[in-house]
Amino acid sequence: MNPALLSQKDYLERPQLEALQLERLQTIVAHAYQNSPFYTRAMDAMGVKPRDIRSLADIVRLPFTQKTDLRDHYPYGLNAVPSEEIVRIHASSGTTGKPIVVTYTRGDLDIWTETTARCFLMGGVTNRDVAVIGYGYSLFTGGMGAHQGMERIGATVVPMGGGNTEKLCMLIQDLGVSVLCCTPSYFIHLMEVAQRLGLDLHKTTLRHGFFGAEPWTDEMRAHIEEGSGIHAHDIFGLSEIMGPGVAGSCDAHNGLHIFEDHYFPEIVDPATGEALPPGEEGELVLTTLDKFAMPLLRYRTHDITRLHYEKCSCGRTLVHMDPIRRRSDDMLIIRGVNLFPSQVEAILLPIHGVVPHYELVVTREGAMDELEVRVEVTPDLFGDKVAVLESLRKLIAEKIKGMIGISAKVTLVEPGAIARCDGKTRHVVDKRKK
Ligand code: ADP
Ligand code: ZN
């Protein structure tokens, strides 16, 4: 199929889309029930049979799936097809214990490729673009996922992988690279390296960045777009559901469109699991509508967002989702105050002299939690007078106190002091014993 035609599915009229979703939901529920002992048990326990799913609203009768279910059934316990049909395995980067393994049939890979391609098409990529994939090519879904989508569009793909930033700066110039896919924090690192090398990104051919795999803020987007002259797009996904390209931002910047014809979204109360009405903030729950190797019903993502069903100004009928800024499980509770790393990021970024590399270190002295915010300052400022740094430190501490309500120790560190990574950045170091 002509890649441009893939985007037609972004504009289906709602009744047509919902009919397609229902048909796919009924098929996948029957498939999961018949072929995955895990779902046979889980649905039997809820007293629900595939034939009970008569409308999309009936989805709430199905059991939730949790990350622990994938871990407990490592590696193949949730497979619903024979091994002959499995053509690919990926795994999440889980830092402790066993990773989470996900499997794909050829048809699953086609769907993944299609939705990632639709995400890039939405951002304006064409077959004239030269696209560097800066996500890791590994068990992580980022590299292969973005690669497949770009190739589907016919863009010239440069499978760079993570790291080797100086070489990337060279290739951007030599190959006429116009599109880059990587994490937002890695792009900020690239901006610093480019500056050090005397490369003005505004003057290169680079036009689009597709940034995802970790939360980022509007402030970070502004920093990226102003500092490099590129258009920063958001791409969201998770390996359990498929990989990158479950949702992507359109030009209206009205959040991200979820490719609902393949991934069915719900919003639930993270504490009770109760379904919430459209427009309310809660935890995103996703059902894979036509992934056959490892179908997941009502998967609890822990990502907090809101869904909007009114038609987007870009013309797409697909639901739009607020950008993911936080997860229900990354909330820190410090001396009783709830805090998300993204709140600190939003405070830091507009402050002159601060670069978006920061770390929240939480410790416990006796019964008291202490928060230290370590933040890098720009090289010119770092060489400045002690009084200047001291007033900057005070300003940051006051803003955190004023806006979040917590006293934090602010430490300004020299440029480069906070470790860079080409994968997901972890902004929190929690040293408290749980
Ligand atoms: P892993 O489980 O190995 O960390 P995943 O790619 O499966 O790798 O991680 C998925 C999670 O990453 C999502 O649930 C979400 O929390 C986060 N994420 C991915 N893309 C984005 C994005 N564009 N914005 C915010 N968070 C994101
Ligand atoms: Zn839109």
Side-chain angles (χ1 to χ4, degrees), residues 36-153:
S36 157
F38 169 79
Y39 280 117
T40 320
R41 270 196 311 275
M43 285 174 60
D44 283 348
M46 307 266 300
V48 57
K49 295 267 181 272
R51 62 169 182 275
D52 296 326
I53 306 301
R54 292 196 202 95
S55 70
L56 288 175
D58 287 330
I59 196 164
V60 298
R61 304 184 60 180
L62 294 169
F64 286 123
T65 311
Q66 305 276 3
K67 200 171 199 131
T68 45
D69 295 323
L70 279 83
R71 201 159 273 152
D72 294 347
H73 294 83
Y74 172 87
Y76 295 134
L78 262 68
N79 279 3
V81 296
S83 63
E84 301 90 286
E85 289 181 37
I86 291 175
V87 298
R88 177 89 65 78
I89 291 177
H90 281 283
S92 85
S93 56
T95 42
T96 52
K98 299 279 190 198
I100 279 165
V101 165
V102 287
T103 57
Y104 303 80
T105 64
R106 183 154 300 285
D108 297 341
L109 288 185
D110 287 345
I111 289 160
W112 184 16
T113 303
E114 173 203 309
T115 55
T116 315
R118 282 162 71 184
C119 192
F120 297 143
L121 286 167
M122 192 150 64
V125 175
T126 72
N127 57 5
R128 290 184 298 280
D129 279 301
V130 178
V132 164
I133 312 300
Y135 291 114
Y137 281 80
S138 58
L139 285 172
F140 174 52
T141 49
M144 293 293 281
H147 184 118
Q148 294 158 185
M150 284 295 178
E151 218 168 56
R152 181 74 182 80
I153 294 175

Side-chain angles (χ1 to χ4, degrees), residues 162-405:
N164 213 342
T165 316
E166 294 197 3
K167 187 167 184 182
L168 177 55
C169 287
M170 181 186 88
L171 292 181
I172 288 174
Q173 302 169 82
D174 295 353
L175 304 181
V177 171
S178 51
V179 179
L180 176 58
C181 304
C182 61
T183 60
S185 49
Y186 181 68
F187 189 77
I188 287 175
H189 176 55
L190 171 80
M191 281 164 56
E192 292 164 355
V193 173
Q195 194 176 22
R196 184 158 47 74
L197 297 175
L199 170 66
D200 182 356
L201 289 171
H202 288 90
K203 296 198 175 129
T204 66
T205 44
L206 200 59
R207 289 186 304 123
H208 294 285
F210 288 86
F211 304 125
E214 63 188 20
W216 50 309
T217 51
D218 289 338
E219 289 77 10
M220 199 136 152
R221 176 195 300 281
H223 179 82
I224 288 176
E225 292 190 334
E226 283 158 23
S228 68
I230 69 160
H231 206 99
H233 309 271
D234 199 344
I235 173 166
F236 166 83
L238 59 165
S239 23
E240 296 89 327
I241 293 302
M242 200 60 116
V246 169
S249 57
C250 69
D251 264 346
H253 283 306
N254 213 346
L256 291 83
H257 289 291
I258 301 178
F259 298 105
E260 279 179 282
D261 44 335
H262 299 293
Y263 317 114
F264 187 86
E266 296 171 81
I267 296 290
V268 304
D269 179 326
T272 64
E274 211 58 50
L276 294 175
E280 283 207 22
E281 185 179 83
E283 179 182 342
L284 178 69
V285 170
L286 290 167
T287 296
T288 57
L289 289 178
D290 47 9
K291 188 174 83 153
F292 283 83
M294 211 184 91
L296 287 191
L297 307 181
R298 307 192 79 205
Y299 183 69
R300 302 283 299 254
T301 67
H302 289 287
D303 292 318
I304 302 293
T305 186
R306 252 188 296 239
L307 300 181
H308 309 277
Y309 285 88
E310 52 292 354
K311 201 171 183 177
C312 180
S313 55
C314 75
R316 286 181 181 79
T317 49
L318 295 171
V319 68
H320 39 115
M321 159 176 107
D322 287 349
I324 309 281
R325 301 285 194 235
R326 58 195 178 89
R327 294 176 49 86
S328 59
D329 52 7
D330 76 357
M331 188 176 77
L332 287 167
I333 304 179
I334 298 167
R335 297 195 292 271
V337 177
N338 298 351
L339 173 143
F340 290 95
S342 56
Q343 288 173 292
V344 176
E345 183 176 307
I347 290 173
L348 293 178
L349 280 177
I351 299 179
H352 181 70
V354 163
V355 286
H357 292 292
Y358 66 95
E359 198 168 63
L360 310 184
V361 184
V362 194
T363 49
R364 182 166 287 163
E365 302 286 333
M368 275 298 268
D369 293 336
E370 298 293 340
L371 171 67
E372 180 188 1
V373 178
R374 302 181 72 234
V375 47
E376 282 185 20
V377 291
T378 52
D380 48 325
L381 203 79
F382 197 72
D384 226 320
K385 295 201 179 61
V386 175
V388 177
L389 290 172
E390 183 51 23
S391 65
L392 177 65
R393 207 186 58 71
K394 274 209 181 113
L395 172 77
I396 296 172
E398 275 163 20
K399 281 194 184 276
I400 293 175
K401 175 82 187 156
M403 293 167 89
I404 307 175

Side-chain angles (χ1 to χ4, degrees), residues 11-19 21 260 309 317-319:
Y11 300 90
L12 294 179
E13 285 308 324
R14 204 82 215 160
Q16 201 187 344
L17 172 64
E18 288 179 3
Q21 287 177 315
E260 279 179 282
Y309 285 88
T317 49
L318 295 171
V319 68

